[in-house]
Amino acid sequence: MGREILSEKLYSAGHAVVDRSFHTQRGDEAFFTFFGNDVTYSIRRTICDEDYPRMLECVEKAAAGEFHRTVIRMKSVSGEYHWILASVRLLISEGAEPLYSMTFSHILSLEALAYTRENRLSEYRHVLSLMSDLAFEYSFETKHIRIYMFDCFREIVLVDEELEVWRKNTIESGCVMTRYTEMFNSLCRDIRSGVYRFDYEFETSVLTGGKTREMCLFRGITRYYAPEVRKVSGIISVVNSRSKTKDINLAIEANRDQLSGLLSKRAVTAFAKELLSRGSGSIVNLVLLDIDNFTDINNSYGHLFGDEVIYTVARIIKAEIGSRGIAGRISGSGFLIILEDTRDEEDLRGILRAIRTNTEFAFADRFRNFRLTCSMGVSTYPVDSRSYDELFMQADKALYIAREKGKNRYVIYDIEKHGPVEKDIENKIVFLSSKGKASEKLSFVSGLAENLVMGKIPDISVLLEQVRSQFGIDDICVFAGGDMGLLLSCGNAASKNASYLFENGYTNRFSGDGLFVIDNVNELEGRDDNAFAQLTSQNIGGAVQYLMTEDSMIKGVISFCYIGRFNKWSVSDINYYAVIGRIITALLKKQAYI
């Protein structure tokens, strides 16, 4: 086996959350890096067919809070199969389809992983033993708080008991002065509820067993190992008795954004410019990330929750880029990420997918009908430019396109596809808005409506071709009749019928507007294998389908298709297809086609 298998990047094959059909809901950077594009929609195709029944059995046996494990062969991004230890746990999700948390470990790397991490732990313990601060942690499973210190290889535990018991004992023993009791209670409440970040400073003798009172600073964060698994960690520092504040490293604080914990705008910009000025041949990606609808979040849930959103997204960014890059907060809801040495575009997409999917599920259990999303724009050095300003503008343009297409997505800048950046003569202002194509589509649809009002009825075949050309799609297929046979087509799709429409509850997938959006046909694999087989045999990569009905009776379906390719449909185009679908349905009824 090649030495690269034992490289640190391949110790873990990552963590993911999947549904009952093994469709990927979210995953971390290691998961997408190890498995590649095959797991973008489902992990099924990576599992060796002979081992698939064993994986199914493991999922069926999984119980809430319990891990079930099995060893299976899974295909990595290289196309080779590897022995993988899969640990599965059912996530409780009341009133919704169950989700499963899965952690994948590369078996042949586990020994090397254990050895290397033990060495690192030894290094960390030596460093920590030189510090005077104590550490504490709180487990949401055991409800215990642990306060401890390090002495080289030994962990010296000072407190290990239930948080509520510790709180009562500390107050009753007089370790906290009366004037600080409420502050101490607030500290315990924040720990128990998992507040994302907190710090409290008060006089206490809890560290000396009631002997000597000292001003202590309790500073902590809630860490998420996965969106559903968390732990509170923190430090306890004895602060300067005169200034009543712990000395801080001013150099670090001056370059850090206080809310997110990332670099400040000045610091991350300086880092990026210095990195690019070296002129190395390595790939560098500039990623601009913006939290979608952040102003609405502040207005609806308050600015304190808005602060938590900023901190949470920053935590996700740090977790997913790891040692491969650096990030900073550059505006209220904006972040700049600098990624170095991504292998290729697939590797880059793995990191972006991890950030996007984990952001989407970060607050899934907090509020009903609340979904946090983000949009990203990416440019690449030296492919797109060698100038920092030019690269920033290109990433900004890609971010604008991502938001225009409906948000919750990333766009990698491509000058052939997106065109050059338009800017002023001083290269300081970039003109992002490009309303040309959008205006053409709006003009087309409004003109179609106007002609209908004026009594100008278009030829359906001509109309289909106009829509296909105007929206840059490959075919429009109209199916009708009891067998859902092909009625009309204006492209080269191999479609003969849509018989899958009446099978496996397929029509339940359509929205109240009569639409079913398929960004990638692979979404159907494992959910409706019959429809998946028919669509893939017809080489359809993606589609927006409109259900034609009359008095709640299904009369047919219109499929706006991509052939041999797929693309994430923009929200504006989907809305146009709903209008056009309704117009086509009315014309077919009027001319007695259906």
Side-chain angles (χ1 to χ4, degrees):
M1 180 173 294
R3 292 178 59 84
E4 69 277 3
I5 295 301
L6 297 181
S7 71
E8 184 178 347
K9 292 180 181 179
L10 296 184
Y11 282 156
S12 168
H15 172 268
V17 172
V18 305
D19 62 18
R20 193 191 297 274
S21 302
F22 291 100
H23 277 246
T24 306
Q25 302 300 303
R26 60 182 180 271
D28 61 12
E29 180 271 337
F31 171 74
F32 289 115
T33 297
F34 190 91
F35 293 108
N37 286 332
D38 276 349
V39 294
T40 302
Y41 293 97
S42 171
I43 68 170
R44 170 62 186 91
R45 62 183 58 186
T46 68
I47 302 173
C48 177
D49 290 340
E50 295 177 10
D51 300 337
Y52 183 60
R54 196 156 61 248
M55 188 66 173
L56 276 177
E57 182 182 3
C58 184
V59 168
E60 290 170 359
K61 290 182 177 179
E66 234 176 88
F67 277 102
H68 278 257
R69 296 175 175 85
T70 189
V71 175
I72 57 175
R73 286 164 290 182
M74 298 183 73
K75 186 169 60 176
S76 71
V77 67
S78 68
E80 299 177 353
Y81 280 96
H82 304 272
W83 285 105
I84 299 293
L85 173 65
S87 301
V88 183
R89 181 166 64 90
L90 174 67
L91 302 181
I92 299 299
S93 183
E94 295 182 5
E97 182 181 7
L99 299 178
Y100 298 87
S101 172
M102 295 187 176
T103 301
F104 305 100
S105 301
H106 191 272
I107 286 180
L108 297 182
S109 299
L110 288 178
E111 183 179 1
L113 168 63
Y115 178 76
T116 302
R117 287 191 174 171
E118 185 59 36
N119 283 339
R120 285 192 175 180
L121 283 173
S122 174
E123 296 285 343
Y124 293 153
R125 288 175 186 272
H126 276 291
V127 173
L128 289 170
S129 68
L130 299 175
M131 303 173 67
S132 59
D133 293 343
L134 302 181
F136 70 89
E137 60 184 41
Y138 173 73
S139 168
F140 288 91
E141 293 181 353
T142 65
K143 311 298 183 187
H144 271 225
I145 184 170
R146 296 176 71 248
I147 301 176
Y148 55 94
M149 60 182 290
F150 290 102
D151 182 14
C152 290
F153 289 97
R154 295 190 306 165
E155 186 180 276
I156 301 175
V157 179
L158 306 178
V159 173
D160 187 357
E161 58 186 338
E162 287 190 13
L163 177 63
E164 182 59 18
V165 173
W166 178 68
R167 184 191 69 82
K168 289 181 179 179
N169 290 342
T170 300
I171 294 175
E172 291 174 359
S173 63
C175 290
V176 175
M177 298 180 68
T178 303
R179 66 174 179 269
Y180 293 119
T181 299
E182 184 52 41
M183 186 178 295
F184 177 69
N185 285 332
S186 295
L187 167 67
C188 293
R189 280 196 299 270
D190 283 357
I191 293 173
R192 184 168 51 249
S193 59
V195 171
Y196 70 99
R197 186 167 63 178
F198 58 86
D199 57 80
Y200 289 91
E201 187 176 309
F202 54 88
E203 192 172 354
T204 176
S205 60
V206 68
L207 302 185
T208 61
K211 296 178 181 178
T212 307
R213 290 195 183 97
E214 299 171 304
M215 287 298 299
C216 293
L217 173 64
F218 288 73
R219 177 177 294 174
I221 61 171
T222 299
R223 300 167 54 209
Y224 285 77
Y225 299 96
E228 66 283 349
V229 182
R230 56 181 179 160
K231 177 182 285 187
V232 176
S233 302
I235 59 172
I236 308 172
S237 308
V238 176
V239 301
N240 187 294
S241 58
R242 291 184 178 179
S243 62
K244 290 191 176 182
T245 183
K246 180 173 173 61
D247 295 334
I248 60 174
N249 187 324
L250 296 178
I252 293 177
E253 294 298 315
N255 291 290
R256 177 185 291 146
D257 175 65
Q258 292 298 309
L259 179 56
S260 67
L262 301 177
L263 291 181
S264 65
K265 179 178 181 179
R266 183 189 63 79
V268 73
T269 301
F271 174 86
K273 289 182 175 180
E274 194 278 331
L275 177 65
L276 298 179
S277 68
R278 299 177 196 164
S280 72
S282 301
I283 295 294
V284 178
N285 301 110
L286 265 67
V287 183
L288 282 180
L289 181 150
D290 193 65
I291 300 172
D292 297 330
N293 307 313
F294 186 66
T295 299
D296 293 339
I297 291 173
N298 277 331
N299 292 340
S300 299
Y301 300 98
H303 286 76
L304 287 178
F305 180 68
D307 288 351
E308 185 176 353
V309 167
I310 291 290
Y311 180 79
T312 300
V313 172
R315 172 183 56 78
I316 291 171
I317 291 172
K318 285 193 288 187
E320 300 308 336
I321 66 175
S323 62
R324 306 180 68 181
I326 200 162
R329 182 174 173 227
I330 60 173
S331 66
S333 60
F335 301 84
L336 173 61
I337 306 168
I338 312 299
L339 294 173
E340 299 180 68
D341 296 322
T342 48
R343 293 193 308 270
D344 49 30
E345 187 171 300
E346 184 175 347
D347 187 31
L348 169 63
R349 288 179 182 274
I351 299 172
L352 301 178
R353 286 190 197 107
I355 294 173
R356 187 188 66 79
T357 57
N358 281 292
T359 297
E360 188 172 5
F361 285 88
F363 292 93
D365 61 341
R366 288 285 289 275
F367 306 108
R368 181 171 293 182
N369 299 323
F370 175 79
R371 188 176 67 153
L372 178 67
T373 62
C374 66
S375 300
M376 290 173 277
V378 188
S379 60
T380 304
Y381 167 95
V383 177
D384 297 322
S385 177
R386 292 180 175 271
S387 161
Y388 169 80
D389 289 342
E390 184 77 14
L391 288 165
F392 190 94
M393 291 178 179
Q394 291 166 342
D396 209 7
K397 178 168 184 173
L399 173 61
Y400 174 83
I401 294 170
R403 289 188 297 220
E404 282 290 290
K405 284 182 172 291
K407 304 176 182 178
N408 191 25
R409 66 191 70 201
Y410 58 82
V411 171
I412 300 173
Y413 178 75
D414 182 340
I415 191 169
E416 296 295 328
K417 184 187 300 183
H418 305 125
V421 173
E422 297 181 22
K423 50 199 174 185
D424 70 336
I425 194 170
E426 296 181 357
N427 290 336
K428 292 183 178 179
I429 300 176
V430 57
F431 302 104
L432 297 175
S433 179
S434 178
K435 300 293 185 181
K437 193 63 179 178
S439 298
E440 290 177 16
K441 292 177 180 178
L442 176 60
S443 177
F444 172 79
V445 175
S446 60
L448 176 60
E450 182 180 354
N451 287 336
L452 291 172
V453 172
M454 300 297 293
K456 300 177 182 178
I457 307 299
D459 178 85
I460 293 183
S461 296
V462 173
L463 174 59
L464 293 181
E465 179 57 38
Q466 289 174 336
V467 173
R468 188 185 72 82
S469 175
Q470 184 67 53
F471 286 83
I473 54 180
D474 300 317
D475 201 352
I476 303 174
C477 302
V478 181
F479 304 96
D483 61 349
M484 283 295 134
L486 182 64
L487 182 65
L488 293 168
S489 175
C490 66
N492 57 357
S495 305
K496 300 299 181 184
N497 65 71
S499 58
Y500 56 82
L501 190 69
F502 296 122
E503 301 171 356
N504 301 320
Y506 190 86
T507 54
N508 295 331
R509 303 181 187 279
F510 287 80
S511 69
D513 295 326
L515 289 173
F516 176 40
V517 179
I518 308 171
D519 287 320
N520 188 315
V521 71
N522 291 318
E523 297 171 10
L524 294 173
E525 185 179 16
R527 292 174 173 168
D528 192 330
D529 288 331
N530 185 34
F532 174 70
Q534 286 195 48
L535 291 171
T536 51
S537 69
Q538 297 162 9
N539 202 25
I540 292 176
V544 174
Q545 297 182 327
Y546 179 84
L547 197 62
M548 298 188 292
T549 60
E550 184 175 23
D551 297 329
S552 300
M553 295 289 292
I554 297 173
K555 308 295 289 185
V557 66
I558 305 168
S559 190
F560 304 89
C561 308
Y562 284 129
I563 306 299
R565 62 188 178 115
F566 61 88
N567 202 355
K568 195 171 178 69
W569 301 93
S570 73
V571 173
S572 58
D573 282 1
I574 292 170
N575 292 333
Y576 286 137
Y577 291 137
V579 175
I580 295 169
R582 192 163 185 174
I583 290 173
I584 293 174
T585 301
L587 291 175
L588 292 173
K589 290 178 182 177
K590 184 177 180 63
Q591 298 177 23
Y593 278 97
I594 58 174

